Amino acid sequence: MTREKGGFWVDLAAAVFYPSSWLVGRPRYEGREYLPATGGALVVANHISYLDPLYTALWVHSARRVPRFLAKASLWRVPVFGKVLVGSEQIPVHRDSADAQQSLRDGIAGLANGKVVVIYPEGTISRDPDGWPMHSRTGAARLALSSDVPVIPVVHWGTREIYDHYRKRFRPLPRTTVHVRGGAPIDLSAYRGKPVDATVLREVTDLMMTRCRELLAEVRGETAPADFYRHAPVAAPETDS
């Protein structure tokens, strides 16, 4: 199978990412056969550690495709790394701004042009204490319903053992097995052609993340919770009026 060409910056990132992934973990990639060899595809993945994009990228790249991530726009301001993001045609997400819809349009355009677009529907690292997917944003559902491409669930397990951001713990040794598993495309046929409203977006989002949760339960060999964790924002302290 011919490898999709990514250009200089993708090749450079691959040259750095492959050895880095082996330095901090023992990657185990499964289910890559579900990613189509050509044409657009939307990868929806759980998110438990800031290391996840490293392994998601390599899961896609080792399937001979080039990943295009929807990632927070602030990363484009990081020296050198920002140039890699631009050169490899990643997609900045401008949350809560006038440019927010541009991210969606760029994602749809990427899928229409036969690209593999990767999104973490949770929007940030899961705050579920046990590492299950939490209540997610609906942007991934908008992408999925705006593009008639395969929607592939992908899950990670093991990355949080290496780097747990919320506990500020980095533990590369002993090396942990990092599981990255893809599943069969999610059947969205019941929603194709329907008017896209808030109810449909929520149903499709929950369907996609339920499939991710089921896939993660298989990897973990555990029973998944019935509901998605909801993180309650910290309330502001009361003041005397």
Side-chain angles (χ1 to χ4, degrees), residues 12 35 42 50 57 68 80 89 105 120 128 179 181 211 221:
L12 177 62
L35 190 66
L42 178 63
Y50 283 136
R68 267 81 180 186
V80 182
E89 300 180 6
R105 289 192 291 268
Y120 300 107
D128 183 288
H179 297 269
R181 180 181 295 183
R211 184 66 189 108

Side-chain angles (χ1 to χ4, degrees), residues 172-183:
L173 295 175
R175 289 167 67 230
T176 299
T177 298
V178 174
H179 297 269
V180 188
R181 180 181 295 183

Side-chain angles (χ1 to χ4, degrees), residues 48-101:
I48 52 175
S49 170
Y50 283 136
L51 291 177
D52 292 338
L54 168 66
Y55 291 97
T56 318
L58 295 179
W59 183 87
V60 173
H61 192 265
S62 61
R64 309 185 76 80
R65 298 299 307 271
V66 175
R68 267 81 180 186
F69 286 82
L70 278 98
K72 57 186 179 181
S74 59
L75 294 175
W76 270 250
R77 298 193 293 269
V78 177
V80 182
F81 188 56
K83 288 187 176 181
V84 175
L85 294 174
V86 172
S88 58
E89 300 180 6
Q90 306 306 307
I91 304 169
V93 176
H94 304 271
R95 290 180 184 156
D96 304 319
S97 74
D99 295 325
Q101 288 302 311

